[in-house]
Amino acid sequence: MAHIPPETIEQILAANDIVEVVGGYFPLKRAGAVWKALCPFHDERSPSFTVNPQRQIFKCFGCGAGGSAIRFVMTYENLDFVSAAKKLAERGGVRIEEAEMNDEDRARYSARRRLLALHAEAADFFHHYLLKRPSAQIAREYLKSRGISGDVAKSWKLGYAPDSWDTFSQWALQAGYTPHELIDGGLVKRRDEERRDSDFYDRFRNRVMFPICNDRGEVIAFSGRILEADAKAAKYVNSPESILFSKGAVLFGLHKSLRPLINKSSAIVCEGQLDLITAFEAGVQNVVAPQGTAFTPKQARKLKQYVGEVILCFDSDIAGQKAAERSLPALLYENLSVRVAEMPPGEDPDSLIRGQGVEAFSSLIAGARDFFDFQIDHLALQPDFATPRGRVLASRKLAEWVSLIADVVLREAIVHKVAQRLEISAAEFTKLLKAPRKPAASDGDAPAAPPPVAITLDPTLRLLAIVTLRDSDARAWIMEEAWRERLEHEPDSGLVVRILEADVRPEEPASINAFLSTLDAAEEAAVTTLLEERAPDHALAIAHDCWLELERRAIRRRMDSVKARMMGRELPMDHVAELQKQILDLQKRLSDIARPLSPPV
């Protein structure tokens, strides 16, 4: 855990309203006193993720995740504590000194910060080359031929990687970056991957460079398109996975199209970066592009936070149709409505908009057909579709896709629709379906954060924890008692001890959230659950009753110990008599405690 002073953590949390923090990642909807959304950390069909502005905490009642704004940023962005705290500190204008971190935290945060700086400066380097260097004329001509003006290139910070083995890497070394940082960032490659001391060369050479940004617009990777039409090299080269970049978790263009996506509740999915840029600059701005040819489960889950409908706009060739089919499992599993905009032969969104205008593209999007209608129409073109065998094959193919739908109501509606078009009974078609399964993760698809292991407290310790978190008078009374000695032998009391040891002021959410930042994920989720409980009435009386119950438990444990000593071996009569007297005394104490007592005043 980071060595950032509690008062600094309090400042960070006080400066960042959690509703605004979470709402900056995906839209929230007000539900009474809290805000709700689909949980970004697990698959769900109805919202169980809540954000409590009064307590300044989040809680998912599905997977159990919960905690402060810092925990949310840690989990959502897969960051360590210091990086998340630093990010929120910068957002809220709170200064954190490097000296406040331990060596491990400082190194981890510094490495991530250096890679972000490296990518930002690399984007500037490639962009400057594109705009200013004579050798980039080939790239400028290519972009001009694709309708990309200088203003558009500046808006998206497009660049050019020189046709050289080491121009970029030499510049980066002179700028103060180390070979290790260049390799970790994926901007260079070792000549011999088996040797850490091997020399290296530029990964991107003679390519138009597209910066890949995270949701907040920070450059985290690059995609480079080759310029030589007859070259044997891959058409696109992407940055490898790094601590900044997970291919299966990023949607190209999302940092620019986020608000249009929310406003339209619909996402147009393009295959390539140029398709997306052309559409966006032409005014069709609710567009995204996966980092590959098909949607991953995590990309679909992210998109579900913003939209209810996806329109696949892939090329009209066989490869484009296959890409649409490969995207389907992840999208249907998230209960997204899927339509297909079929491009004219030989066209893609970029060429269609440049050739026929944005109106033609918008008309094509408006007329996009439901995925299942689209597929039935394509299957109906097969020569044997009208034959019994052809209908069976088509039915089985469609059943594979319908089986991907997890929502019972939506699945039933699609079953009747498909069966009607195939001219078979819904009951017969239903027999072909399989139980819905979660789609397998694709290469590079970052797994969702695992839910924290649940921590359970028995009812007495649970009540004691709640009143010490929610009521200042109850907490003050308990703190005057010998609570450490009382809880020392109480099983599973560790979390309650942590709560009592902390400098928690129940009336100040920032102090409670600063305490949350000292816990691991499971502990923080457990305490968040306690904070979501309704504040108990008569908290002082409840604290007193809990205290008496803990005392009764201690007496019973003592009695069991004495009885065990009596039965363990033969003892002298005077020793037995002494143990019997101890039992009688303990029984009397237990009886006295059991009598009704007035609560403390």
Side-chain angles (χ1 to χ4, degrees):
M1 186 59 65
H3 293 274
I4 300 177
E7 59 270 21
T8 305
I9 296 298
E10 284 195 35
Q11 292 175 22
I12 293 170
L13 292 167
N16 287 275
D17 181 78
I18 193 168
V19 175
E20 295 179 1
V21 171
V22 177
Y25 290 90
F26 50 81
L28 298 169
K29 293 184 179 180
R30 183 181 286 278
V34 300
W35 297 76
K36 302 189 76 173
L38 291 172
C39 180
F41 306 131
H42 81 289
D43 301 315
E44 63 177 3
R45 313 271 78 81
S46 58
S48 61
F49 179 90
T50 64
V51 180
N52 187 322
Q54 182 182 7
R55 307 302 306 177
Q56 286 293 298
I57 56 176
F58 76 94
K59 178 67 182 177
C60 177
F61 294 94
C63 69
S68 69
I70 293 177
R71 175 64 62 182
F72 174 82
V73 174
M74 288 175 66
T75 309
Y76 192 88
E77 295 198 35
N78 194 28
L79 298 178
D80 58 85
F81 176 87
V82 172
S83 296
K86 277 285 214 176
K87 184 175 288 291
L88 289 178
E90 292 168 3
R91 181 184 184 278
V94 179
R95 183 175 177 82
I96 297 180
E97 299 293 342
E98 293 280 337
E100 294 175 343
M101 308 179 205
N102 62 26
D103 291 342
E104 181 181 355
D105 292 330
R106 190 181 301 111
R108 188 164 47 239
Y109 171 73
S110 178
R112 183 178 180 86
R113 186 184 61 183
R114 289 277 294 175
L115 284 187
L116 281 172
L118 169 61
H119 280 77
E121 292 191 47
D124 289 338
F125 172 87
F126 295 133
H127 186 58
H128 175 79
Y129 244 87
L130 175 68
L131 298 182
K132 303 295 184 181
R133 293 301 181 95
S135 60
Q137 184 62 29
I138 183 175
R140 291 192 290 269
E141 290 177 354
Y142 169 77
L143 290 174
K144 184 178 180 180
S145 72
R146 299 297 298 264
I148 302 298
S149 67
D151 288 340
V152 172
K154 291 176 183 177
S155 176
W156 291 84
K157 212 162 196 175
L158 304 184
Y160 172 68
D163 188 11
S164 164
W165 287 101
D166 64 354
T167 298
F168 169 76
S169 53
Q170 288 301 319
W171 167 86
L173 292 172
Q174 291 175 9
Y177 293 100
T178 68
H180 185 70
E181 289 170 333
L182 298 180
I183 292 170
D184 283 352
L187 291 164
V188 303
K189 296 181 68 175
R190 288 192 181 95
R191 295 187 185 277
D192 185 348
E193 294 293 342
E194 302 298 322
R195 293 174 49 201
R196 288 189 60 82
D197 61 345
S198 170
D199 59 350
F200 49 84
Y201 58 92
D202 293 354
R203 179 182 296 273
F204 301 102
R205 304 178 307 282
N206 195 28
R207 291 177 181 270
V208 172
M209 298 296 286
F210 297 87
I212 299 172
C213 298
N214 59 22
D215 300 358
R216 294 164 309 287
E218 298 169 320
V219 181
I220 56 175
F222 291 94
S223 180
R225 191 195 189 284
I226 201 163
L227 290 168
E228 299 173 11
D230 59 347
K232 296 181 180 179
K235 185 177 180 180
Y236 281 94
V237 169
N238 295 321
S239 294
E241 301 272 315
S242 72
I243 63 173
L244 299 181
F245 176 57
S246 176
K247 179 180 177 181
V250 177
L251 291 167
F252 180 79
L254 185 61
H255 66 294
K256 285 181 175 286
S257 63
L258 181 58
R259 182 49 53 186
L261 289 174
I262 295 171
N263 292 340
K264 295 278 190 179
S265 191
S266 176
I268 301 168
V269 178
C270 302
E271 272 191 277
Q273 289 99 339
L274 280 174
D275 292 328
L276 182 144
I277 291 172
T278 300
F280 188 94
E281 295 297 330
V284 182
Q285 298 188 334
N286 55 321
V287 285
V288 293
Q291 298 298 324
T293 57
F295 257 80
T296 67
K298 191 158 189 177
Q299 287 171 331
R301 191 157 53 247
K302 176 175 285 191
L303 206 54
K304 177 65 175 177
Q305 300 292 332
Y306 313 115
V307 304
E309 175 191 71
V310 170
I311 301 171
L312 299 177
C313 194
F314 292 165
D315 293 351
S316 59
D317 56 15
I318 294 177
Q321 186 173 344
K322 292 296 183 183
E325 293 179 9
R326 287 196 299 273
S327 299
L328 194 66
L331 296 171
L332 287 183
Y333 189 80
E334 294 299 329
N335 288 335
L336 286 159
S337 174
V338 181
R339 293 196 289 148
V340 178
E342 190 170 14
M343 302 299 300
E347 299 277 15
D348 56 28
D350 171 53
S351 64
L352 182 66
I353 292 172
R354 288 188 293 108
Q356 301 181 35
V358 69
E359 296 79 9
F361 180 67
S362 297
S363 177
L364 184 144
I365 295 298
R369 287 174 292 165
D370 173 80
F371 176 85
F372 293 98
D373 285 331
F374 170 80
Q375 288 296 344
I376 291 172
D377 289 344
H378 268 266
L379 290 170
L381 297 176
Q382 302 299 317
D384 62 346
F385 181 76
T387 67
R389 180 179 179 276
R391 288 296 175 92
V392 169
L393 293 176
S395 298
R396 288 175 178 170
K397 183 67 175 176
L398 288 161
E400 292 179 13
W401 290 319
V402 176
S403 295
L404 299 169
I405 302 173
D407 184 86
V408 176
V409 176
L410 180 59
R411 177 189 269 223
E412 185 71 15
I414 297 297
V415 163
H416 283 278
K417 177 178 184 175
V418 172
Q420 184 178 17
R421 289 216 54 191
L422 291 174
E423 298 179 359
I424 61 175
S425 71
E428 288 299 316
F429 184 73
T430 300
K431 293 178 182 178
L432 300 174
L433 302 183
K434 301 175 183 178
R437 293 180 301 141
K438 183 176 180 179
S442 305
D443 290 342
D445 182 29
V453 178
I455 294 177
T456 57
L457 299 173
D458 75 63
T460 299
L461 291 175
R462 182 181 181 82
L463 273 174
L464 190 64
I466 290 173
V467 296
T468 56
L469 286 168
R470 305 298 298 277
D471 189 272
S472 296
D473 292 337
R475 182 180 181 85
W477 180 80
I478 292 171
M479 294 298 291
E480 293 176 356
E481 301 297 317
W483 58 266
R484 197 179 297 275
E485 179 182 343
R486 181 62 52 84
L487 294 173
E488 182 179 6
H489 301 292
E490 193 69 33
D492 303 321
S493 63
L495 187 58
V496 182
V497 171
R498 295 286 301 274
I499 292 171
L500 290 169
E501 287 177 337
D503 179 22
V504 170
R505 299 180 295 283
E507 68 282 358
E508 298 179 21
S511 82
I512 293 176
N513 283 321
F515 163 61
L516 291 177
S517 70
T518 67
L519 306 175
D520 63 29
E523 292 171 331
E524 188 168 358
V527 173
T528 303
T529 300
L530 299 177
L531 291 170
E532 288 285 25
E533 296 276 349
R534 185 179 67 86
D537 298 326
H538 311 296
L540 196 56
I542 290 174
H544 186 250
D545 288 343
C546 290
W547 203 249
L548 293 180
E549 171 57 23
L550 293 179
E551 187 174 351
R552 284 191 286 269
R553 293 182 183 181
I555 292 173
R556 293 191 189 101
R557 284 196 295 269
R558 176 63 180 163
M559 288 174 62
D560 290 341
S561 175
V562 174
K563 290 177 181 178
R565 288 170 59 191
M566 290 178 63
M567 299 178 63
R569 60 182 186 273
E570 293 187 6
L571 298 173
M573 291 302 297
D574 59 337
H575 197 169
V576 172
E578 175 60 27
L579 293 176
Q580 288 175 334
K581 183 178 183 303
Q582 289 182 27
I583 290 175
L584 290 174
D585 291 342
L586 291 169
Q587 286 175 336
K588 184 177 185 306
R589 285 175 58 190
L590 191 61
S591 177
D592 289 342
I593 293 174
R595 296 170 187 169
L597 295 174
S598 299
V601 294

